[in-house]
PDB file of all heavy atoms in Angstrom:
ATOM      1  N   GLY A  70      25.714  16.310 -11.796  1.00  0.00           N
ATOM      2  CA  GLY A  70      26.081  15.002 -12.231  1.00  0.00           C
ATOM      3  C   GLY A  70      26.288  14.931 -13.785  1.00  0.00           C
ATOM      4  O   GLY A  70      26.048  13.985 -14.350  1.00  0.00           O
ATOM      5  N   SER A  72      29.198  14.960 -15.227  1.00  0.00           N
ATOM      6  CA  SER A  72      30.522  14.239 -15.695  1.00  0.00           C
ATOM      7  C   SER A  72      30.319  12.918 -16.210  1.00  0.00           C
ATOM      8  O   SER A  72      31.421  12.291 -16.531  1.00  0.00           O
ATOM      9  CB  SER A  72      31.432  14.270 -14.446  1.00  0.00           C
ATOM     10  OG  SER A  72      30.782  13.517 -13.367  1.00  0.00           O
ATOM     11  N   SER A  73      29.121  12.303 -16.264  1.00  0.00           N
ATOM     12  CA  SER A  73      28.973  10.963 -16.464  1.00  0.00           C
ATOM     13  C   SER A  73      27.603  10.462 -16.937  1.00  0.00           C
ATOM     14  O   SER A  73      26.697  11.292 -16.643  1.00  0.00           O
ATOM     15  CB  SER A  73      29.444  10.155 -15.371  1.00  0.00           C
ATOM     16  OG  SER A  73      29.066   8.847 -15.404  1.00  0.00           O
ATOM     17  N   ILE A  75      23.851   9.675 -17.613  1.00  0.00           N
ATOM     18  CA  ILE A  75      22.578  10.391 -17.950  1.00  0.00           C
ATOM     19  C   ILE A  75      22.900  11.932 -17.930  1.00  0.00           C
ATOM     20  O   ILE A  75      22.335  12.675 -18.862  1.00  0.00           O
ATOM     21  CB  ILE A  75      21.541   9.869 -16.961  1.00  0.00           C
ATOM     22  CG1 ILE A  75      21.135   8.535 -17.314  1.00  0.00           C
ATOM     23  CG2 ILE A  75      20.214  10.851 -17.109  1.00  0.00           C
ATOM     24  CD1 ILE A  75      20.229   7.885 -16.283  1.00  0.00           C
ATOM     25  N   ARG A  95      31.992  16.262  -9.983  1.00  0.00           N
ATOM     26  CA  ARG A  95      33.227  16.511  -9.159  1.00  0.00           C
ATOM     27  C   ARG A  95      34.434  16.126 -10.016  1.00  0.00           C
ATOM     28  O   ARG A  95      35.597  16.442  -9.596  1.00  0.00           O
ATOM     29  CB  ARG A  95      33.214  15.484  -7.989  1.00  0.00           C
ATOM     30  CG  ARG A  95      32.190  15.764  -6.935  1.00  0.00           C
ATOM     31  CD  ARG A  95      31.994  14.794  -5.901  1.00  0.00           C
ATOM     32  NE  ARG A  95      31.551  13.526  -6.570  1.00  0.00           N
ATOM     33  CZ  ARG A  95      31.308  12.437  -5.917  1.00  0.00           C
ATOM     34  NH1 ARG A  95      31.406  12.385  -4.523  1.00  0.00           N
ATOM     35  NH2 ARG A  95      30.854  11.343  -6.552  1.00  0.00           N
ATOM     36  N   ASP A 120      30.480  19.530  -5.078  1.00  0.00           N
ATOM     37  CA  ASP A 120      29.880  18.320  -4.473  1.00  0.00           C
ATOM     38  C   ASP A 120      28.463  18.694  -4.030  1.00  0.00           C
ATOM     39  O   ASP A 120      28.288  19.679  -3.239  1.00  0.00           O
ATOM     40  CB  ASP A 120      30.669  17.852  -3.213  1.00  0.00           C
ATOM     41  CG  ASP A 120      30.097  16.589  -2.635  1.00  0.00           C
ATOM     42  OD1 ASP A 120      28.970  16.344  -2.560  1.00  0.00           O
ATOM     43  OD2 ASP A 120      31.096  15.660  -2.187  1.00  0.00           O
ATOM     44  N   VAL A 121      27.461  18.049  -4.668  1.00  0.00           N
ATOM     45  CA  VAL A 121      25.996  18.447  -4.429  1.00  0.00           C
ATOM     46  C   VAL A 121      25.672  18.355  -2.937  1.00  0.00           C
ATOM     47  O   VAL A 121      24.625  18.831  -2.581  1.00  0.00           O
ATOM     48  CB  VAL A 121      25.077  17.745  -5.328  1.00  0.00           C
ATOM     49  CG1 VAL A 121      25.213  18.321  -6.765  1.00  0.00           C
ATOM     50  CG2 VAL A 121      25.160  16.314  -5.176  1.00  0.00           C
ATOM     51  N   ARG A 122      26.424  17.564  -2.022  1.00  0.00           N
ATOM     52  CA  ARG A 122      26.088  17.412  -0.738  1.00  0.00           C
ATOM     53  C   ARG A 122      26.427  18.604   0.051  1.00  0.00           C
ATOM     54  O   ARG A 122      25.910  18.816   1.223  1.00  0.00           O
ATOM     55  CB  ARG A 122      26.801  16.179  -0.107  1.00  0.00           C
ATOM     56  CG  ARG A 122      26.295  14.846  -0.740  1.00  0.00           C
ATOM     57  CD  ARG A 122      27.126  13.707  -0.320  1.00  0.00           C
ATOM     58  NE  ARG A 122      28.492  13.886  -0.838  1.00  0.00           N
ATOM     59  CZ  ARG A 122      29.543  13.244  -0.347  1.00  0.00           C
ATOM     60  NH1 ARG A 122      29.547  12.417   0.684  1.00  0.00           N
ATOM     61  NH2 ARG A 122      30.792  13.457  -0.953  1.00  0.00           N
ATOM     62  N   ASN A 147      20.268  15.711 -11.234  1.00  0.00           N
ATOM     63  CA  ASN A 147      20.632  14.297 -11.711  1.00  0.00           C
ATOM     64  C   ASN A 147      21.551  13.498 -10.903  1.00  0.00           C
ATOM     65  O   ASN A 147      21.526  12.338 -10.923  1.00  0.00           O
ATOM     66  CB  ASN A 147      21.080  14.401 -13.303  1.00  0.00           C
ATOM     67  CG  ASN A 147      21.839  13.236 -13.742  1.00  0.00           C
ATOM     68  OD1 ASN A 147      21.162  12.243 -14.180  1.00  0.00           O
ATOM     69  ND2 ASN A 147      23.107  13.203 -13.615  1.00  0.00           N
ATOM     70  N   ALA A 148      22.459  14.240 -10.293  1.00  0.00           N
ATOM     71  CA  ALA A 148      23.593  13.564  -9.510  1.00  0.00           C
ATOM     72  C   ALA A 148      22.949  12.516  -8.600  1.00  0.00           C
ATOM     73  O   ALA A 148      21.865  12.829  -7.883  1.00  0.00           O
ATOM     74  CB  ALA A 148      24.382  14.481  -8.775  1.00  0.00           C
ATOM     75  N   ILE A 198      15.705  13.662 -11.687  1.00  0.00           N
ATOM     76  CA  ILE A 198      15.877  12.292 -12.292  1.00  0.00           C
ATOM     77  C   ILE A 198      15.718  11.232 -11.026  1.00  0.00           C
ATOM     78  O   ILE A 198      16.489  11.024 -10.057  1.00  0.00           O
ATOM     79  CB  ILE A 198      17.297  12.115 -12.761  1.00  0.00           C
ATOM     80  CG1 ILE A 198      17.587  13.082 -13.894  1.00  0.00           C
ATOM     81  CG2 ILE A 198      17.546  10.659 -13.375  1.00  0.00           C
ATOM     82  CD1 ILE A 198      16.653  13.111 -15.104  1.00  0.00           C
ATOM     83  N   SER A 199      14.576  10.578 -11.150  1.00  0.00           N
ATOM     84  CA  SER A 199      14.115   9.519 -10.225  1.00  0.00           C
ATOM     85  C   SER A 199      14.618   8.124 -10.759  1.00  0.00           C
ATOM     86  O   SER A 199      15.772   7.990 -11.271  1.00  0.00           O
ATOM     87  CB  SER A 199      12.757   9.618  -9.923  1.00  0.00           C
ATOM     88  OG  SER A 199      12.266   8.657  -9.096  1.00  0.00           O
ATOM     89  N   TYR A 211      18.229   2.326  -1.897  1.00  0.00           N
ATOM     90  CA  TYR A 211      18.192   3.138  -3.224  1.00  0.00           C
ATOM     91  C   TYR A 211      16.833   3.543  -3.628  1.00  0.00           C
ATOM     92  O   TYR A 211      16.475   4.568  -3.910  1.00  0.00           O
ATOM     93  CB  TYR A 211      19.068   2.446  -4.284  1.00  0.00           C
ATOM     94  CG  TYR A 211      18.976   3.201  -5.633  1.00  0.00           C
ATOM     95  CD1 TYR A 211      19.706   4.247  -5.832  1.00  0.00           C
ATOM     96  CD2 TYR A 211      18.177   2.620  -6.688  1.00  0.00           C
ATOM     97  CE1 TYR A 211      19.821   4.902  -7.042  1.00  0.00           C
ATOM     98  CE2 TYR A 211      18.234   3.211  -7.872  1.00  0.00           C
ATOM     99  CZ  TYR A 211      18.910   4.423  -8.139  1.00  0.00           C
ATOM    100  OH  TYR A 211      18.931   4.966  -9.329  1.00  0.00           O
ATOM    101  N   LYS A 215      14.499   7.070  -4.189  1.00  0.00           N
ATOM    102  CA  LYS A 215      13.774   7.536  -5.421  1.00  0.00           C
ATOM    103  C   LYS A 215      12.322   7.582  -5.210  1.00  0.00           C
ATOM    104  O   LYS A 215      11.578   8.502  -5.710  1.00  0.00           O
ATOM    105  CB  LYS A 215      14.124   6.512  -6.510  1.00  0.00           C
ATOM    106  CG  LYS A 215      15.658   6.511  -6.908  1.00  0.00           C
ATOM    107  CD  LYS A 215      16.068   7.884  -7.330  1.00  0.00           C
ATOM    108  CE  LYS A 215      17.491   7.948  -7.984  1.00  0.00           C
ATOM    109  NZ  LYS A 215      18.024   9.127  -8.372  1.00  0.00           N
ATOM    110  N   PRO A 241      13.870   6.447 -15.026  1.00  0.00           N
ATOM    111  CA  PRO A 241      14.461   5.553 -16.148  1.00  0.00           C
ATOM    112  C   PRO A 241      14.517   4.181 -15.493  1.00  0.00           C
ATOM    113  O   PRO A 241      14.601   3.928 -14.375  1.00  0.00           O
ATOM    114  CB  PRO A 241      15.910   6.088 -16.295  1.00  0.00           C
ATOM    115  CG  PRO A 241      15.969   7.340 -15.608  1.00  0.00           C
ATOM    116  CD  PRO A 241      14.957   7.446 -14.562  1.00  0.00           C
ATOM    117  N   GLY A 242      14.376   3.140 -16.408  1.00  0.00           N
ATOM    118  CA  GLY A 242      14.751   1.760 -16.075  1.00  0.00           C
ATOM    119  C   GLY A 242      16.276   1.675 -16.138  1.00  0.00           C
ATOM    120  O   GLY A 242      16.904   2.601 -16.072  1.00  0.00           O
ATOM    121  N   VAL A 244      19.736   1.797 -17.385  1.00  0.00           N
ATOM    122  CA  VAL A 244      20.477   2.533 -18.393  1.00  0.00           C
ATOM    123  C   VAL A 244      21.954   2.217 -18.395  1.00  0.00           C
ATOM    124  O   VAL A 244      22.574   1.981 -17.245  1.00  0.00           O
ATOM    125  CB  VAL A 244      20.260   4.100 -18.146  1.00  0.00           C
ATOM    126  CG1 VAL A 244      20.973   4.859 -19.313  1.00  0.00           C
ATOM    127  CG2 VAL A 244      18.957   4.465 -17.838  1.00  0.00           C
ATOM    128  N   THR A 246      25.140   2.928 -17.929  1.00  0.00           N
ATOM    129  CA  THR A 246      26.049   3.986 -17.231  1.00  0.00           C
ATOM    130  C   THR A 246      26.962   3.455 -16.316  1.00  0.00           C
ATOM    131  O   THR A 246      26.850   2.148 -15.899  1.00  0.00           O
ATOM    132  CB  THR A 246      25.195   5.132 -16.737  1.00  0.00           C
ATOM    133  OG1 THR A 246      24.728   4.713 -15.389  1.00  0.00           O
ATOM    134  CG2 THR A 246      24.109   5.701 -17.523  1.00  0.00           C
ATOM    135  N   ILE A 248      26.404   3.929 -13.135  1.00  0.00           N
ATOM    136  CA  ILE A 248      25.777   3.971 -11.747  1.00  0.00           C
ATOM    137  C   ILE A 248      25.962   2.556 -10.988  1.00  0.00           C
ATOM    138  O   ILE A 248      25.903   2.562  -9.776  1.00  0.00           O
ATOM    139  CB  ILE A 248      24.223   4.267 -11.916  1.00  0.00           C
ATOM    140  CG1 ILE A 248      23.605   4.467 -10.577  1.00  0.00           C
ATOM    141  CG2 ILE A 248      23.493   3.133 -12.573  1.00  0.00           C
ATOM    142  CD1 ILE A 248      23.669   5.956 -10.157  1.00  0.00           C
ATOM    143  N   ARG A 250      28.480   0.841 -10.668  1.00  0.00           N
ATOM    144  CA  ARG A 250      29.853   0.459 -10.330  1.00  0.00           C
ATOM    145  C   ARG A 250      30.021  -0.097  -8.967  1.00  0.00           C
ATOM    146  O   ARG A 250      31.193  -0.718  -8.630  1.00  0.00           O
ATOM    147  CB  ARG A 250      30.812   1.670 -10.607  1.00  0.00           C
ATOM    148  CG  ARG A 250      30.557   2.857  -9.642  1.00  0.00           C
ATOM    149  CD  ARG A 250      31.628   4.033 -10.187  1.00  0.00           C
ATOM    150  NE  ARG A 250      31.327   5.181  -9.463  1.00  0.00           N
ATOM    151  CZ  ARG A 250      30.431   6.170  -9.836  1.00  0.00           C
ATOM    152  NH1 ARG A 250      29.692   5.889 -10.926  1.00  0.00           N
ATOM    153  NH2 ARG A 250      30.250   7.245  -9.345  1.00  0.00           N
ATOM    154  N   ARG A 275      34.912   3.053 -12.467  1.00  0.00           N
ATOM    155  CA  ARG A 275      34.151   3.262 -13.813  1.00  0.00           C
ATOM    156  C   ARG A 275      34.594   2.332 -15.009  1.00  0.00           C
ATOM    157  O   ARG A 275      35.870   1.978 -14.958  1.00  0.00           O
ATOM    158  CB  ARG A 275      34.099   4.669 -14.258  1.00  0.00           C
ATOM    159  CG  ARG A 275      33.428   5.728 -13.539  1.00  0.00           C
ATOM    160  CD  ARG A 275      33.419   6.997 -14.194  1.00  0.00           C
ATOM    161  NE  ARG A 275      32.358   7.734 -13.638  1.00  0.00           N
ATOM    162  CZ  ARG A 275      32.467   8.648 -12.692  1.00  0.00           C
ATOM    163  NH1 ARG A 275      33.690   8.764 -12.179  1.00  0.00           N
ATOM    164  NH2 ARG A 275      31.493   9.392 -12.307  1.00  0.00           N
TER     165      ARG A 275
HETATM  166  N1  NAP B 578      21.743   4.041 -14.900  1.00  0.00           N
HETATM  167  C1  NAP B 578      20.620   3.698 -14.493  1.00  0.00           C
HETATM  168  O1  NAP B 578      20.297   2.398 -14.701  1.00  0.00           O
HETATM  169  C2  NAP B 578      19.642   4.491 -13.844  1.00  0.00           C
HETATM  170  C3  NAP B 578      18.323   4.204 -13.628  1.00  0.00           C
HETATM  171  C4  NAP B 578      17.338   4.913 -13.060  1.00  0.00           C
HETATM  172  C5  NAP B 578      17.920   6.221 -12.483  1.00  0.00           C
HETATM  173  N2  NAP B 578      19.129   6.496 -12.542  1.00  0.00           N
HETATM  174  C6  NAP B 578      19.611   7.743 -11.997  1.00  0.00           C
HETATM  175  O2  NAP B 578      20.167   8.514 -12.944  1.00  0.00           O
HETATM  176  C7  NAP B 578      20.997   9.500 -12.243  1.00  0.00           C
HETATM  177  C8  NAP B 578      22.363   9.643 -12.947  1.00  0.00           C
HETATM  178  O3  NAP B 578      23.031   8.237 -12.903  1.00  0.00           O
HETATM  179  P1  NAP B 578      23.812   7.749 -13.967  1.00  0.00           P
HETATM  180  O4  NAP B 578      23.260   6.295 -14.325  1.00  0.00           O
HETATM  181  O5  NAP B 578      24.204   8.629 -15.073  1.00  0.00           O
HETATM  182  O6  NAP B 578      25.240   7.270 -13.179  1.00  0.00           O
HETATM  183  P2  NAP B 578      26.723   7.679 -13.264  1.00  0.00           P
HETATM  184  O7  NAP B 578      27.198   7.565 -14.718  1.00  0.00           O
HETATM  185  O8  NAP B 578      27.437   7.079 -12.143  1.00  0.00           O
HETATM  186  O9  NAP B 578      26.692   9.282 -12.984  1.00  0.00           O
HETATM  187  C9  NAP B 578      26.338   9.807 -11.724  1.00  0.00           C
HETATM  188  C10 NAP B 578      26.657  11.194 -11.709  1.00  0.00           C
HETATM  189  O10 NAP B 578      26.344  11.947 -10.436  1.00  0.00           O
HETATM  190  C11 NAP B 578      27.496  12.589  -9.986  1.00  0.00           C
HETATM  191  N3  NAP B 578      27.638  12.586  -8.521  1.00  0.00           N
HETATM  192  C12 NAP B 578      27.506  11.503  -7.678  1.00  0.00           C
HETATM  193  N4  NAP B 578      27.638  11.994  -6.294  1.00  0.00           N
HETATM  194  C13 NAP B 578      27.925  13.401  -6.450  1.00  0.00           C
HETATM  195  C14 NAP B 578      28.182  14.424  -5.563  1.00  0.00           C
HETATM  196  N5  NAP B 578      28.228  14.085  -4.187  1.00  0.00           N
HETATM  197  N6  NAP B 578      28.321  15.597  -6.078  1.00  0.00           N
HETATM  198  C15 NAP B 578      28.332  15.857  -7.286  1.00  0.00           C
HETATM  199  N7  NAP B 578      27.980  14.899  -8.196  1.00  0.00           N
HETATM  200  C16 NAP B 578      27.806  13.655  -7.807  1.00  0.00           C
HETATM  201  C17 NAP B 578      28.652  11.873 -10.598  1.00  0.00           C
HETATM  202  O11 NAP B 578      29.741  12.835 -10.644  1.00  0.00           O
HETATM  203  P3  NAP B 578      31.202  12.587 -10.096  1.00  0.00           P
HETATM  204  O12 NAP B 578      31.316  11.276  -9.541  1.00  0.00           O
HETATM  205  O13 NAP B 578      32.106  12.851 -11.253  1.00  0.00           O
HETATM  206  O14 NAP B 578      31.282  13.705  -9.159  1.00  0.00           O
HETATM  207  C18 NAP B 578      28.087  11.588 -11.991  1.00  0.00           C
HETATM  208  O15 NAP B 578      28.304  12.580 -12.797  1.00  0.00           O
HETATM  209  C19 NAP B 578      21.107   9.140 -10.834  1.00  0.00           C
HETATM  210  O16 NAP B 578      20.303  10.014 -10.152  1.00  0.00           O
HETATM  211  C20 NAP B 578      20.722   7.646 -10.752  1.00  0.00           C
HETATM  212  O17 NAP B 578      19.934   7.300  -9.583  1.00  0.00           O
HETATM  213  C21 NAP B 578      20.084   5.732 -13.200  1.00  0.00           C
END
Side-chain angles (χ1 to χ4, degrees):
S72 57
S73 168
I75 293 170
R95 292 168 301 182
D120 187 322
V121 290
R122 290 172 296 162
N147 164 79
I198 305 300
S199 176
Y211 173 72
K215 297 303 189 177
V244 187
T246 72
I248 191 86
R250 62 185 173 276
R275 291 188 158 95

